[in-house]
Amino acid sequence: MITFWFAILVLAWVLYFVLEGFDFGVGLLAPFLGRDEHERGAAIRTIGPFWDGNEVWLVAAIGVTFAAFPDWYAVLLSALYLPMVGILLLLAIRGVALEFRGKHDSPAWRRRCDWLLAGSSAGVVLLWGAQLGVFVHGLALGADGTVIGNGLGRSLAPLLTPAAGLGALAGLLGTVLLGATFLALRTTGPVRRRAVALARHAGNAGTVGLLLAGVATGSRLTLVAAVLCFIAGMLARQGREGGAFAATALGVAGAVLAVFTAHGSVVLRSTLDPLWSLTRSEAAASPSSLKLITVAGVLILPGVLAYQAWSYWVFRRRIASERIPS
């Protein structure tokens, strides 16, 4: 039962980082790939039907972590509460920029919303990437299972490590590649051409970043993700945009999977003493609690997956970014 719920937890986080990843990428790239308001609007409309539905997976991932592995949830939230608050604030700003962009006809208003969207998307990606780096590096867990330290330093110190910096860089590169390949797949005209050109370069940069992460962590999954990033860039160069996006999504999924399985059965490594690390069995809820949430999961999860698949099918057509002469 513990292994089953760990797999569900990893699946929820993978779906969140892949689906919200292209959301973040489009929001970050829209002001750079769109040369005027019409092109920026076309780029942002590609994520219009999906972005709030994709955020459901963040709620699901956090909910599963809380319900199935409460000790892991408690340690992570108590140690990284400031970065998590920062992520939630940036997600709120991002939602406001997306919702209010079309509420005013002023070009200046829409331009400000576009840059607010790009800045908040970049901030969320950097903070998530840094926290994934912290997951791999570990925290200063003491013998009693709590993180050593207090005050602001307790939350900020884990982010001031090479692992967190490498995670932030890898997260940014992966998001740019996801956003570029998604825009290449979902638009026509000049935005599509620029997205394809960017995907070629982002694929090479993402490959180098993931290779460095793979060498640093010794994770074979990260090396596989690097190969998939290279393939994504190559497919984008050949005009095979669907394949490029699929390869990027698999690469990001592989990188997230590598983070959560980096230390085998240990879910959170102690940087002070390996014996104080938190394992899956120590972090898991009681067997009766796991049985209870299994009933809820069986009822809810298929419905969410079916609804999202249906919405992607309904809104599958490309968005035109070129101006059509009247």
Side-chain angles (χ1 to χ4, degrees), residues 12-33 43-44 46-48 50-59 62 83-84 86-98 113-132 168 170-183 198 245 248 252 256 312:
W13 282 109
V14 164
L15 287 172
Y16 171 67
F17 283 113
V18 171
L19 297 178
E20 273 280 83
F22 73 71
D23 269 7
F24 295 144
V26 170
L28 196 159
L29 295 175
F32 301 97
L33 297 183
I44 292 171
T46 62
I47 60 171
F50 310 123
W51 71 270
D52 49 355
N54 291 340
E55 287 188 350
V56 167
W57 290 108
L58 175 60
V59 178
I62 291 178
M84 285 303 299
I87 286 173
L88 294 177
L89 288 175
L90 287 167
L91 285 175
I93 293 171
R94 189 169 175 274
V96 168
L98 281 164
C113 287
D114 293 342
W115 284 109
L116 201 61
L117 174 63
S120 56
S121 298
V124 172
V125 167
L126 289 171
L127 281 175
W128 271 129
Q131 292 204 64
L132 290 179
L172 186 64
L173 290 173
T175 301
V176 168
L177 184 56
L178 265 177
T181 52
F182 185 76
L183 281 173
L198 177 62
F245 178 72
T248 307
V252 172
V256 175
Y312 279 98

Side-chain angles (χ1 to χ4, degrees), residues 37 39-41 44 61 93-94 103 112 164 181 228 241 247 251 254-256 278-279 295 310 313 318 321:
E37 185 186 324
E39 292 179 1
R40 290 193 294 273
I44 292 171
I93 293 171
R94 189 169 175 274
K103 303 296 184 186
R112 290 191 197 104
T181 52
L228 287 167
E241 292 142 351
V256 175
L278 188 64
T279 64
V295 175
W310 176 78
W313 173 255
R318 290 179 182 267
S321 69

Side-chain angles (χ1 to χ4, degrees), residues 173-196:
L173 290 173
T175 301
V176 168
L177 184 56
L178 265 177
T181 52
F182 185 76
L183 281 173
L185 181 64
R186 291 297 319 284
T187 59
T188 63
V191 171
R192 180 187 181 185
R193 290 194 295 274
R194 293 177 201 131
V196 168

Side-chain angles (χ1 to χ4, degrees), residues 60-278:
I62 291 178
V64 170
T65 309
F66 171 75
F69 298 94
D71 286 356
W72 190 12
Y73 173 90
V75 172
L76 287 176
L77 266 292
S78 65
L80 299 170
Y81 59 92
L82 277 182
M84 285 303 299
V85 168
I87 286 173
L88 294 177
L89 288 175
L90 287 167
L91 285 175
I93 293 171
R94 189 169 175 274
V96 168
L98 281 164
E99 291 287 351
F100 283 77
R101 183 182 188 276
K103 303 296 184 186
H104 200 291
D105 289 334
S106 165
W109 168 264
R110 293 188 177 182
R111 191 163 55 249
R112 290 191 197 104
C113 287
D114 293 342
W115 284 109
L116 201 61
L117 174 63
S120 56
S121 298
V124 172
V125 167
L126 289 171
L127 281 175
W128 271 129
Q131 292 204 64
L132 290 179
V134 171
F135 288 178
V136 176
H137 177 70
L139 288 168
L141 277 178
D144 59 354
T146 59
V147 177
I148 304 299
N150 51 42
L152 293 177
R154 176 171 166 166
S155 267
L156 297 180
L159 300 185
L160 305 177
T161 60
L166 190 59
L169 176 63
L172 186 64
L173 290 173
T175 301
V176 168
L177 184 56
L178 265 177
T181 52
F182 185 76
L183 281 173
L185 181 64
R186 291 297 319 284
T187 59
T188 63
V191 171
R192 180 187 181 185
R193 290 194 295 274
R194 293 177 201 131
V196 168
L198 177 62
R200 295 201 301 261
H201 300 298
N204 294 333
T207 302
V208 173
L210 284 169
L211 282 174
L212 290 174
V215 171
T217 62
S219 169
R220 293 179 182 176
L221 278 173
T222 307
L223 297 176
V224 172
V227 172
L228 287 167
C229 275
F230 177 77
I231 292 173
M234 185 179 66
L235 291 173
R237 192 179 304 117
Q238 296 172 355
R240 298 166 64 182
E241 292 142 351
F245 178 72
T248 307
L250 286 174
V252 172
V256 175
L257 188 59
V259 168
F260 281 90
T261 58
H263 302 296
S265 63
V266 170
V267 292
L268 192 59
R269 174 176 167 270
S270 171
T271 56
L272 302 178
D273 188 331
L275 294 176
W276 297 342
S277 299
L278 188 64

